[in-house]
Amino acid sequence: MNPITRRAFLRWAGVAGGGLLAAGAVFPALFGGFRLLDDPEAAAAAGVDRWVYSTCQFCAVGCGVWIGVRGGRVVAVRGIEDHPVNRGMLCVKGIYQYKVLDVPERARFPVVRATPSDAWRNTTWDEVLDHLAGSIRRFRETYGPDSVAIYHSSQILLEEAYLIGKLGRGVIGTRRLDSNSTLCLASAAEGYKVSFGSDGTPTSFKDLEETDCLILIGTNTAEMHPVLFYRLQRTKRARHPFVVLIDPRRTHTAELADVHLAVRPGSDADVLKALINVVIEEDLVDHAFIRGQTKGYEELRAAVRSFAPETVGPRVWVDPAQLRLVARAFGSARRAMVGWAAGVNQSSAGTGTVALINDLCLITGNIGRAGTGPFSFAGQCASLSVREAGSTSTLSGMRPWEKEEARKEIARLWNIPEGRLPSKTEKVTTKEFWEAIEAGEVKMLWIIGSNPVVSMSDAGRFRRLLGKLELLVVQDAYMDQDTAAYAHMFLPAALWGEKEGVFTNSERRVNLLRKAVEPPGEARPDWQVVCEVAHRLGYGHLFPFRSSEEIFNEWRRVSAGTHPDMSGITYNRLERLRGIQWPCRSLEDKGTPRLYEDFRFRTPDGKARLLVLDKEMLPQPVATDDYPFYLITGRALQHWQTATKTKRIPEVVTEVGPPYMEISPQDARRLGIKEWDRVRVESVRGGVTVHARLSSRMRPGCVFIPYHFSQAPVNTLTEHAIDPPAKQPGLKRVPVRLRRAEPRGEEG
Ligand SMILES: Nc1nc2c(c(=O)[nH]1)N[C@H]1C(S)=C(S)[C@@H](COP(=O)(O)OP(=O)(O)OC[C@H]3O[C@@H](n4cnc5c(=O)[nH]c(N)nc54)[C@H](O)[C@@H]3O)O[C@H]1N2
Ligand SMILES: Nc1nc2c(c(=O)[nH]1)N[C@H]1C(S)=C(S)[C@@H](COP(=O)(O)OP(=O)(O)OC[C@H]3O[C@@H](n4cnc5c(=O)[nH]c(N)nc54)[C@H](O)[C@@H]3O)O[C@H]1N2
Ligand code: SF4
Ligand SMILES: [Mo]
């Protein structure tokens, strides 16, 4: 078996677990979560016929896994010992992922119905695909290509995201194609674009192990990227880098931090401006780098002049001395980095905040060298793949949507007339096409691998507008997925382990997943469904693929010469080298751990831009007398997203329990709320009822609810305002009021 995994993890559990408990955490059972890593051994002891090479299906850390198969069923998962990402480690979700496949709720056959209130009727793939392709053709001809909308997640394969883009943009020609990246990290992608001229994470996990100063902002790495956190913990013990956490909550990630700034929700831009102010005023900048490699320094300097910590401190809830301390540590470190995630991205000021993170790195010369740079921690397993190969925020290959030559090139590579591509008018994303559905302009929506009635901002409104559609198609693995309740057609999808392909992790590492078992019933990989639809629309010659590998080989050609160049990557090389970081331009190329090592950026003059995007940042929601608390939304270690998978894992369900809210003991006492009381939480948009859990992680004035629970869908409370450049909604912070719920009758 795999002694390294188990031993090393138990050691971690001993350290982290003790700390987690000492932090007065709301999860006394967390430690148990790590202990359960014994489980695959038990499963393996029951006998495994073969171990199949793959990658974890959950987060974008991208841990290498062996899938254990017995008698045609997946019965165990263990970490790949020589994988550079995880060296055999896995977190609790990674270990248990084998439990999500063979469950009774899996969709096995395509089904249809005339209206969402009818019962489902079994049908054949032939019939349902004729129906789907026929509807696309009919709506396209009658109302134009934009009457067909497609929305997918980043939990499908790179090959699938690529193919959906080719069908959506190249064949249907719709502007209304988007992915859930818009809810996740669109601000990071856009922030990289405005500062460096292109999307693309500049750094590697290894840089985090080589840095001297690390600011973590809006990330709960301990729970969301646990194996990365394990690596950071080891680094902290071995090399003692200075670590700062900026998060309104004292999460488990704070255990790593020398300084924790428990900022006011939504105040990151001000905090970053204060840090930049100190770095500039105390002359901790890298003048040569600023002169040679950047543009806009004087404007930046002027824009942050009035942001001295003493001015900013009170409004961001931080002691000015702490802001100075952090700025000095960052400015004087030889190698410094900023890591961030959804706490920054999910904001209607997201892109501007990311630009400030980039500014801070640039003015101190912290980019393009080992242990330096801005690092957006990606969320889902394929979130980078969607940005690279998909055609949502850019055309495939991160080609700028609005550039004439990029459009020509894509049309040539796809062998379609350029006029088939949608017009290059303003980028259309989720929010715009929701409005178009409301206005009756969208006739059909095809959702692939996402559960937006729970995950979308302002979900109450989203649920209502689905009723306007003539056809809602849901393509998913589980029949009881919440959005399916609103659908007319359900297409059963193969899951991880049942198909082959690649995911790109947070550090641009392309990782391979081999197929281990057959999908249940007639479930099919998403790429096959896309090919079948293309055939029925008369474009079969452009979709001749018989395997994911054939799609990948086309994508290699399409990617050649672009930023995410994967032309040198093959499935066999991926398995042999345990993943390859793009760009990888030839079969001899071992990949690129770090971008911008020559200090030339992807702007026309090669210089990075120092930007303060004040005009593009919307004011953040502020607590009021009527809605005096900041509700922060986010996640818990054990559950995944809207829990469509993790609710199949009994150990997770038992450990997390029913929907809950974390509240500070002080606020609870003031409101007469006791542990486990049911509390009604209301914003101007809606309310949910949850159990109270008193937690010293919360500061007074803030409460926290994870968005995992469809029984208490917290997105019925969130706002719909979006970041103007990235179009990302502000999902993270909502002014709310609280009261103890009546004993009965206030559910959901
Ligand atoms: N266990 C688990 N892991 C996951 C996922 C999961 O569902 N479950 N999902 C994956 C995905 S798709 C993503 S995108 C990532 C998300 O990973 P993270 O972003 O790390 O997780 P979140 O809990 O969404 O938010 C992170 C932190 O942002 C803080 N925050 C909220 N508002 C603010 C603010 O205004 N300023 C600052 N500085 N911080 C703020 C919250 O308190 C929270 O601790 O996780 C990935 N990993
Ligand atoms: N309030 C609030 N809202 C949030 C967030 C937050 O922090 N706060 N986070 C946001 C973020 S970062 C994200 S990424 C989104 C995620 O939100 P969603 O996009 O809704 O993600 P999931 O809940 O994971 O839903 C994915 C669906 O895909 C299915 N699936 C899995 N694999 C496959 C496959 O291979 N093929 C097909 N066809 N289906 C598959 C699963 O069964 C599941 O139903 O939520 C966002 N919403
Ligand atoms: S850290 Fe992420 S990729 Fe690794 S095992 Fe956990 S969920 Fe899977
Ligand atoms: Mo995400």
Side-chain angles (χ1 to χ4, degrees):
M1 245 317 281
N2 177 18
I4 306 170
T5 306
R6 204 172 143 251
R7 227 186 15 246
F9 239 96
L10 288 175
R11 215 181 311 126
W12 181 31
V15 177
L20 298 173
L21 290 171
V26 285
F27 300 116
L30 251 183
F31 178 43
F34 297 122
R35 211 160 19 83
L36 290 164
L37 294 154
D38 293 64
D39 200 55
E41 264 180 35
V48 163
D49 307 335
R50 60 201 164 89
W51 293 98
V52 179
Y53 185 88
S54 189
T55 304
C56 179
Q57 63 178 314
F58 289 110
C59 87
V61 173
C63 296
V65 299
W66 293 112
I67 304 181
V69 181
R70 174 164 41 91
R73 294 178 56 220
V74 173
V75 294
V77 166
R78 64 187 171 97
I80 295 178
E81 296 79 352
D82 61 351
H83 200 287
V85 167
N86 57 317
R87 302 258 168 237
M89 317 292 166
L90 294 177
C91 79
V92 60
K93 292 181 300 304
I95 285 291
Y96 276 136
Q97 59 192 313
Y98 68 93
K99 295 203 173 187
V100 308
L101 296 181
D102 196 5
V103 294
E105 302 82 15
R106 277 301 296 277
R108 288 173 165 74
F109 304 96
V111 289
V112 289
R113 57 188 175 189
T115 72
S117 41
D118 297 331
W120 288 113
R121 171 174 73 74
N122 280 347
T123 176
T124 62
W125 271 109
D126 263 339
E127 192 193 328
V128 85
L129 289 165
D130 285 346
H131 182 167
L132 174 55
S135 306
I136 294 174
R137 190 194 296 270
R138 182 163 54 86
F139 291 132
R140 195 181 180 284
E141 281 167 9
T142 319
Y143 306 102
D146 293 343
S147 62
V148 179
I150 305 177
Y151 180 70
H152 65 85
S153 71
S154 307
Q155 292 170 68
I156 53 175
L157 304 165
L158 175 145
E159 293 82 348
E160 294 172 336
Y162 169 73
L163 224 54
I164 295 169
K166 185 172 174 183
L167 180 79
R169 302 300 196 199
V171 172
I172 301 170
T174 179
R175 291 164 71 220
R176 295 190 174 120
L177 163 65
D178 198 12
S179 76
N180 69 356
S181 292
T182 303
L183 305 183
C184 181
L185 33 63
S187 303
E190 200 62 30
Y192 285 141
K193 272 189 234 167
V194 296
S195 300
F196 307 127
S198 174
D199 185 12
T201 304
T203 42
S204 286
F205 292 150
K206 199 154 173 292
D207 287 315
L208 293 164
E209 292 168 333
E210 294 175 355
T211 194
D212 303 315
C213 177
L214 173 62
I215 295 182
L216 296 169
I217 175 166
T219 159
N220 181 7
T221 326
E223 294 191 62
M224 299 316 128
H225 300 111
V227 169
L228 173 60
F229 188 71
Y230 172 76
R231 289 178 61 169
L232 294 177
Q233 276 188 316
R234 261 193 335 199
T235 304
K236 180 70 182 164
R237 283 200 290 275
R239 294 190 45 253
H240 317 297
F242 187 75
V243 180
V244 180
L245 176 68
I246 305 180
D247 189 316
R249 305 159 60 218
R250 187 159 57 81
T251 60
H252 300 313
T253 308
E255 284 159 33
L256 200 69
D258 299 280
V259 177
H260 171 212
L261 306 184
V263 294
R264 183 170 63 78
S267 66
D268 300 282
D270 281 359
V271 171
L272 287 158
K273 284 182 186 172
L275 299 180
I276 295 172
N277 169 291
V278 176
V279 168
I280 292 179
E281 297 305 322
E282 300 194 7
D283 198 23
L284 300 169
V285 298
D286 182 337
H287 291 284
F289 189 88
I290 291 173
R291 247 192 331 274
Q293 269 69 44
T294 70
K295 249 182 157 165
Y297 180 62
E298 285 312 320
E299 291 85 340
L300 172 68
R301 184 181 186 145
V304 300
R305 189 159 291 140
S306 59
F307 285 81
E310 293 66 28
T311 316
V312 172
R315 65 171 189 262
V316 303
W317 298 354
V318 179
D319 175 0
Q322 296 257 307
L323 288 168
R324 285 205 180 270
L325 174 83
V326 170
R328 284 173 190 153
F330 194 91
S332 50
R334 208 158 54 83
R335 294 167 294 195
M337 294 184 78
V338 183
W340 80 94
V344 167
N345 295 330
Q346 289 173 351
S347 159
S348 50
T351 302
T353 310
V354 173
L356 289 166
I357 291 174
N358 296 339
D359 292 342
L360 180 62
C361 292
L362 285 163
I363 58 171
T364 49
N366 277 304
I367 190 155
R369 293 182 289 121
T372 68
F375 198 158
S376 134
F377 302 149
Q380 305 158 88
C381 44
S383 26
L384 260 73
S385 305
V386 168
R387 279 151 66 181
E388 295 148 8
S391 296
T392 52
S393 63
T394 56
L395 287 171
S396 209
M398 294 185 180
R399 289 177 168 87
W401 178 247
E402 59 293 340
K403 284 241 172 77
E404 206 53 51
E405 40 313 1
R407 302 167 69 81
K408 282 202 161 52
E409 194 179 28
I410 273 292
R412 180 177 55 74
L413 288 162
W414 283 352
N415 197 16
I416 50 154
E418 199 191 324
R420 194 87 188 173
L421 291 173
S423 74
K424 56 184 173 183
T425 43
E426 199 199 355
K427 190 168 75 191
V428 171
T429 61
T430 316
K431 183 186 178 196
E432 186 281 337
F433 63 75
W434 296 161
E435 281 163 5
I437 295 174
E438 246 167 5
E441 292 164 24
V442 172
K443 302 297 172 191
M444 66 165 282
L445 172 62
W446 180 5
I447 297 175
I448 304 169
S450 184
N451 190 18
V453 303
V454 181
S455 54
M456 186 59 60
S457 57
D458 200 358
R461 176 175 166 203
F462 181 67
R463 287 172 191 216
R464 288 191 295 277
L465 66 83
L466 289 180
K468 290 263 187 175
L469 292 163
E470 289 185 31
L471 178 62
L472 174 62
V473 182
V474 168
Q475 185 165 319
D476 203 283
Y478 303 102
M479 276 308 294
D480 62 353
Q481 187 252 32
D482 310 274
T483 308
Y486 300 78
H488 305 93
M489 181 187 290
F490 190 101
L491 305 177
L495 273 178
W496 165 94
E498 300 162 353
K499 57 187 179 182
E500 189 170 55
V502 308
F503 294 153
T504 317
N505 81 350
S506 265
E507 52 167 4
R508 287 173 286 102
R509 183 181 300 277
V510 184
N511 279 318
L512 181 68
L513 298 82
R514 296 269 187 212
K515 176 172 166 175
V517 294
E518 290 302 323
E522 293 179 10
R524 291 185 181 183
D526 299 301
W527 65 263
Q528 278 183 16
V529 178
V530 175
C531 288
E532 291 286 347
V533 170
H535 276 269
R536 283 168 170 77
L537 291 173
Y539 283 79
H541 57 294
L542 301 181
F543 292 74
F545 311 106
R546 288 158 303 170
S547 68
S548 285
E549 194 164 7
E550 289 183 0
I551 305 168
F552 189 75
N553 285 335
E554 175 173 306
W555 154 247
R556 286 171 61 198
R557 286 196 299 281
V558 169
S559 78
T562 67
H563 200 28
D565 191 329
M566 295 188 199
S567 51
I569 298 182
T570 65
Y571 279 13
N572 284 339
R573 289 194 79 209
L574 285 179
E575 180 160 349
R576 207 170 58 247
L577 297 177
R578 303 312 200 215
I580 301 176
Q581 290 173 278
W582 64 255
C584 171
R585 301 186 179 92
S586 73
L587 293 173
E588 290 70 48
D589 185 348
K590 293 222 167 85
T592 313
R594 195 171 302 113
L595 301 180
Y596 309 126
E597 287 192 300
D598 58 359
F599 307 133
R600 285 195 58 77
F601 300 93
R602 296 181 69 85
T603 51
D605 57 9
K607 294 188 177 191
R609 299 292 185 261
L610 297 171
L611 295 169
V612 180
L613 301 175
D614 282 338
K615 289 203 200 72
E616 286 89 347
M617 291 197 270
L618 300 188
Q620 294 306 290
V622 179
T624 61
D625 287 348
D626 291 339
Y627 296 93
F629 287 91
Y630 287 95
L631 164 65
I632 298 173
T633 72
R635 314 164 143 74
L637 166 76
Q638 299 89 339
H639 265 309
W640 179 253
Q641 316 278 61
T642 68
T644 50
K645 282 179 188 160
T646 40
K647 72 181 177 194
R648 327 281 165 196
I649 304 173
E651 292 82 351
V652 165
V653 173
T654 315
E655 199 166 299
V656 180
Y660 66 89
M661 171 188 74
E662 293 178 33
I663 180 169
S664 73
Q666 298 91 317
D667 283 335
R669 206 175 313 117
R670 204 163 46 78
L671 298 174
I673 293 170
K674 291 192 290 302
E675 177 78 7
W676 213 243
D677 275 354
R678 288 165 69 257
V679 178
R680 186 75 185 160
V681 185
E682 287 168 345
S683 77
V684 288
R685 277 166 219 88
V688 291
T689 306
V690 286
H691 288 280
R693 288 175 131 183
L694 274 51
S695 167
S696 57
R697 314 207 298 183
M698 300 308 298
R699 62 178 302 162
C702 297
V703 294
F704 173 76
I705 307 181
Y707 84 104
H708 302 304
F709 306 107
S710 56
Q711 319 89 294
V714 79
N715 274 319
T716 52
L717 280 66
T718 52
E719 61 165 351
H720 207 54
I722 56 167
D723 175 64
K727 313 270 177 108
Q728 178 151 5
L731 292 158
K732 271 275 171 283
R733 42 202 95 72
V734 196
V736 293
R737 61 184 176 210
L738 311 176
R739 65 182 156 82
R740 272 184 51 199
E742 299 306 319
R744 251 179 267 281
E746 280 190 295
E747 301 300 336

